Each structure stands twice: as C-alpha cells, then as structure tokens.
Amino acid sequence: MREWTASQGGVWWDEDGLALIEQTLLPEEYRVLRPRTLAEVADAISRLAVRGAPAIGIAAAYGLVVALDEAAPSTAPEAGRLLDGAAETLRRTRPTAVNLAWALERVLAEAGAHAPISAASYRAAVFGAARELAREDRELCRRIGLSGVEALGSARRILTHCNAGALATGGYGTATAPLYLLHERGEAVSVLADETRPLLQGSRLTAWELHRAGIPVRVTADGASGALMARGLVDAVIVGADRIAENGDTANKIGTFNLALAAAYHGIPIYVAAPFSTFDPKTPDGSAIPIEERAPEEVLAFAGRRVAPEGVTSLNLAFDVTPHALVTAFLTDQGVLRPPYPASIARLSRQGVS
Amino acid sequence: MREWTASQGGVWWDEDGLALIEQTLLPEEYRVLRPRTLAEVADAISRLAVRGAPAIGIAAAYGLVVALDEAAPSTAPEAGRLLDGAAETLRRTRPTAVNLAWALERVLAEAGAHAPISAASYRAAVFGAARELAREDRELCRRIGLSGVEALGSARRILTHCNAGALATGGYGTATAPLYLLHERGEAVSVLADETRPLLQGSRLTAWELHRAGIPVRVTADGASGALMARGLVDAVIVGADRIAENGDTANKIGTFNLALAAAYHGIPIYVAAPFSTFDPKTPDGSAIPIEERAPEEVLAFAGRRVAPEGVTSLNLAFDVTPHALVTAFLTDQGVLRPPYPASIARLSRQGVS
C-alpha cells in the first residue's frame, strides 16, 4: 500500500480506481476502501466512511463512474438513463448535503454537454468531469494554503480546532493547507490540536493526518487554549468555517468562539480558512445562522461510554458563531481578506467570484 | 440507606461510624464506604475514594478515631503512641496534601491539650476535635454560600466548571454552596455544568450531586460556554479555586480562564467561591503559581481507551490562572470581596482573618 499524503485528501482515483479512507476506523486503523459498485459507494457515503462536504462531493462524482463500470451499458442513451438513476441513489445518501447534490449535477451537466454518442465516450466524459472536480478542489485548497502562508508570516506554532483537514477534501484541507504547504517547503511548523469535544475530531482526525504527514502535533483539552497562549506557546490560530455571513460572522464547530476570545485577549492572530464560496450572501450576519442542537448523548458519553449520571441530560450545540470583529483575516482561495470586513468581502463579491 | 443530602458532603460520621462516598464509582453507583480499620481509611484516601482537600482532611481526622476503636488501647500513653503511628500512616497516603497534614496536626494538638488521663477520655477528645473540624468546614461552606446568595441577586441560571462541590467538602461545597442554599429556600435555580476535560469532574461529579439534590442540571462541552452566553442562557458563573494570589489572580482547573474570558465578553458576572484561607499571602500574583502538567494519557484516552492516534502525545496542563481583572467578586466565608482587589483582599488580611 502506498503511503498516504495530505495532497490525496480523503478520496482519490488511482490505477486501481476509486479510493476512500475509511474514516470511521481512524485513528486506530488506516484502511482504504475500494468500492466497486454503486451500492458500495452509496453505503460509504451514508455511513460517513467519507466525511466533509468537498470529499463527499468528489466521492459521489466518482461514484457515477463506478456505476457505469459496474453496469457496463452498451449505448449512450442506456448510459444516460443509468447515470440518472445512480445520481438519484447517491443524492439520497445524505439528503441535506448541498455540495453532494451540486457535484452530481455539475458532472452530469458537463458530461451531457459533450453530446456523447457511445457508452464509452459517455464514460470518458463523466470520468473527466469528476476528475476535474477533484482537481479543482485540491487546487482551491492549495490556494487557501498559499493565502495562509502569506498571512502567517513567520508564525510556525499553530493551534487549530476540529478537523478542517485534508481528510475532508480532495487534498490539503482548508485550515490545514497552510501547514502542509509550509511543511512541504521544509519549514519547522508544529501544531496544538484541540481535541474538540464532543466528537473528538481534533484528537481522532487532525492529529492522525498531521502525524501521518510528519508534522509534530500535540492534542490539548479545548479549555486549555487560554493557558497555552498565556504561556507563549501559540503564534497563531487557524480554524475552518461552516458558513460565513456577509459581514464576516463565522459559524464553525462549537468551541471556536471561545478560542477566538482567548486569541483576542492575548493579541494572537486567528485566521478563518475557507473557500470564498463559504461566504453566504443570503446571510447578513451571525444572528441569521441557525445553530444545530445535536443529540445530548454525544456530550453525556465519551468514546461511546456513558459518563454523566442517569437522569441528567446535556445541551449540545454543534456550532457557535464567532463575531467578525474577532477574526484577524480570512484565508480564501481568492486571497487574504482583512478588515474592515463587510467592505473587503463585498469587494470580492462584486468582482463576481462568489 | 438514608438519602444523601448536600449538607453531608463527601464524608461524615453517623450512628454507624465513619462514612465516605466511594467517589471512584460515581456516577454509575452510589456506595457508602464504612472503613472499620486504619488500613481501610488509608486505602480510601490513597486511591481517591475520597477527594477534595477539605473532605480528605476530615476523613483523616476521623481516621484517627477509627484507629483507636480498632486497636482499643487500655491507657492514655498507649493511645498517644497509637495516634502518632496512625497519623504517620495517614499522612503518607497523600504526601503533598497540605490540608491533610494540617487536619491531623490540629486534631492531635487539640486532643493532647485536654491532657487525657485515660484511653477513653483520649478517644473522646480526638472524636470531639475531628467532629469540630467537620462542623467548621460545613459552616465555612455555608458562609461561602451566603456570600454567593448575596452576590447573585436575582441570577438563577448558573454555569459552573469542574467540581467545587459538596462531595469535596464536609458539606455544601464551595462553588455549589450558593446553589444548595437557594434550592433549600425553594428558589428555582438551574445549572449548566461544564463537563471539564480531561477528567470530567463536571459531568461525573457535579452533575451527580446537583441531580441528587434535585437541582436541574445540564452538562455541556467546555468549549460551549461562549455560545451559551451569547444565547442568553447564563445569568452568572461560579467556579472554585485551588490557590488565589495576593492580587486576586486565581489558579483553578484548566478551562476556568477561557470561561472567564467568555463571561467578560458578554458582561456576565463570574464569581470565585473559596475559603479566605485560599488566598496565599506568599504568592504575589499569578505568575508565581506553578502550573502542574499531568500525564498526557488523561487527554489522549478515556477510561483506558485510546482516542488519539498512536505516536501522538498531548500537552496536559492541569490548571490555569485567571487574571484578577476578570473576576467579578470572590465569595468567601468572610463575605463578598469586590474590586479593587489587592486593596479589598489586603484589608481582610490585615484584620488577621487569613
């Protein structure tokens, strides 16, 4: 088995076909899934073997190729009907995943635009569109990484939260992209990874991928960030984002807001790394972002074992909103966005990037 | 078995003799230990069946009585020699626990001051001194509670961190004392309890004792405090303290500092509840407080199960220091101390309370 590198991300296509990292087994076991049927791809997506919006979209796009290879249609119209059915199957695996639906539509539209006249040319067009989607995502992450390298200056001791990592994308990740680029250049970057309760994505996934890539990483309790900063152990903070409002208010994994407050108190820069498409022009500010409340059991248990007493419940907010005034800069594929925010964000939006 | 009430604390003496809550089994099981020998008391203290400086001191003090009842000496000098040996055994269970050594010395000195002329009168004097120690601790916590009731005003939705609870004391606890007093008065108090990684004292112990007392309590991830405050769910924060510097800088469980920053940002009062003896006149400010770094495994694993990848370590600071400027007031047995701090603390110190 070849060594995994961050530039591969959580999903890729190689000489053996589609490959997905079985993320439910991490970090105990590194296993690469090789789905050979549409049902296997759909299963991998629905049970979260692959996670992260970009990685899911790429897996679904390649899933269309897997469906064609499995059924081996003999004519272009037959292939077209088969693709429509396969797309519907894949869409149903995660009905609320916007990026999954978008990726499927895009690949089908692009392949159809080639007016394929044979099953073979249809397959070639679908594969080309899926590969282009994966390539673009990796390139987008790389550009986010370049923005990060620029913004970080000489900062090399980075604290991050949750997993906005390579595993969730077609390569490099978002918050992790600057770290991988610096590491590729031979810079001595090191990371403190918040464990990220309740689901421990930092401890399980971020620590895994950075360690695998050879970047020194230490896990810390989420509540320790202020103390670590007070000790002078943190040069900069980088986090990802689930949604960014027009004014820069940022929804991200619970704990990000507290981290931003600690950074602000210590005068340590905190960067939000995200594709420019994460800015939502329909969301004027953070108050318009609905915050998902998840199952109480996630907090009441630890790694599957109940911790809290029977009869006690939890309040489990999945995300928080960091006010834009606390964000030092946004690291995007379109460059570094600095305050004043509504203005710098709007300028890029008007250029039609979003 | 009688119902446990917060006024009992983690250790007490009743008609059946010494009683300790077996805290290593909480919250899964409520079991009351009844040590009948010196070895059993020493064992309970050394394996943390009883925890919290005041509770350990009381357990050790009563342990001297248990030792006398076990050995049944027939003369006062024989009792005296036996007590010296028992104290040495108990002291060795937790060699760095200052309060344990202090409690033993105090009980021995007080009992000796009665110049007991028989084994029976020696036993009566030791028991009286131990019971007085326990009574004073409970009364001290109650006075901290009264300070809290005064400071809280109409605030009833309280967020707390770790377990500065009844379990750790002879009754009521410190940070929890105002909650129990309000609850006894029929006030509708409710609590959000930080789970408190890595050892989960909030989820395991604070949630247990508040729930047991009938106070509504919900557990939350440590990183959620900012989001909970932003939602308007928190009227006030109360935490305990391990050590308070002369200027009010407060060492407490890791995560307290981040909590204080979130409270300050939202203009929500944060109170530090502690006996006045927690102010250390030999510590001018927070920079002089050494911060214990504990075993990395506490963060990397839970209940013996590894979470983080093999080869990855953690940075596990046990405490942090909250700068005094972030503390709204100190709730002490000597009243509520408000800013400006070095002055209000010094005033009380000069009165010889400390």
Side-chain angles (χ1 to χ4, degrees), chain A residues 27-28 195 197 200 203-204 207-208 211 217-220 222-228 231 233 254-255 257-258 261-262 265-266 291 293 299-300 302-303 305-315 317 320 323, chain B residues 27-28 195 197 200 203-204 207-208 211 217-228 231 233 254-255 257-258 261-262 265-266 291 293 299 302-303 305-315 317 320 323:
Chain A
E28 289 87 352
E195 62 173 358
R197 283 283 290 156
L200 298 163
S203 183
R204 293 190 300 111
W208 181 85
H211 181 62
V217 54
R218 285 183 292 178
V219 179
T220 71
D222 299 327
S225 50
L228 297 168
R231 282 199 160 194
L233 299 175
I254 194 78
F257 178 23
N258 279 20
L261 288 169
Y265 184 83
H266 293 94
I291 298 298
E293 221 176 286
V299 171
L300 301 172
F302 190 94
R305 192 184 140 177
R306 174 104 187 174
V307 175
E310 289 302 326
V312 167
T313 190
S314 85
L315 181 53
L317 305 178
D320 59 26
Chain B
E28 290 87 352
E195 63 174 358
R197 281 285 291 155
L200 299 162
S203 184
R204 293 190 300 111
W208 181 85
H211 181 62
V217 55
R218 286 183 292 179
V219 179
T220 71
D222 299 328
S225 50
L228 296 168
R231 283 200 158 191
L233 299 176
I254 193 78
F257 178 22
N258 279 20
L261 288 168
Y265 184 83
H266 292 95
I291 298 298
E293 220 177 286
V299 171
F302 178 74
R305 194 186 138 176
R306 178 102 185 172
V307 175
E310 289 302 327
V312 168
T313 191
S314 83
L315 182 52
L317 305 179
D320 59 25

Side-chain angles (χ1 to χ4, degrees), chain A residues 7 31 40 75 91 102 105 160 184-185 220 241 248 341:
Chain A
S7 62
R31 187 189 296 173
E40 285 170 7
T75 67
R91 219 176 273 120
W102 168 84
E105 267 168 50
T160 187
E184 280 178 9
R185 296 178 185 185
T220 71
Y341 283 130

Side-chain angles (χ1 to χ4, degrees), chain A residues 17-80:
Chain A
L18 178 57
L20 308 170
I21 295 182
E22 172 64 72
Q23 296 193 37
T24 63
L25 297 179
L26 289 179
E28 289 87 352
E29 189 188 335
Y30 170 65
R31 187 189 296 173
V32 176
L33 292 183
R34 294 290 186 174
R36 289 284 172 268
T37 66
L38 172 64
E40 285 170 7
V41 177
D43 179 61
I45 295 173
S46 62
R47 63 183 179 75
L48 311 184
V50 56
R51 50 163 279 289
I56 289 171
I58 295 164
Y62 280 134
L64 295 173
V65 182
V66 170
L68 285 175
D69 291 348
E70 176 191 8
S74 48
T75 67
E78 205 184 314

Side-chain angles (χ1 to χ4, degrees), chain A residues 123-201:
Chain A
R123 198 269 186 197
V126 169
F127 180 71
R131 197 175 45 183
E132 177 57 18
L133 188 86
R135 196 198 61 76
E136 279 179 20
D137 185 61
R138 192 165 46 246
E139 178 56 21
L140 177 148
C141 289
R142 220 182 54 82
R143 289 212 303 271
I144 290 172
L146 291 172
S147 293
V149 170
E150 176 193 330
L152 284 175
S154 61
R156 290 295 175 266
R157 298 171 308 160
I158 311 300
L159 193 151
T160 187
H161 189 71
C162 200
N163 179 253
L167 286 168
T169 65
Y172 297 108
T174 53
T176 54
L179 310 174
Y180 289 125
L181 294 193
L182 286 170
H183 183 67
E184 280 178 9
R185 296 178 185 185
E187 297 277 349
V189 64
S190 69
V191 176
L192 290 166
D194 268 2
E195 62 173 358
T196 316
R197 283 283 290 156
L199 295 182
L200 298 163
Q201 293 94 335

Side-chain angles (χ1 to χ4, degrees), chain B residues 159-170:
Chain B
L159 193 152
T160 188
H161 189 70
C162 200
N163 179 253
L167 285 168
T169 65

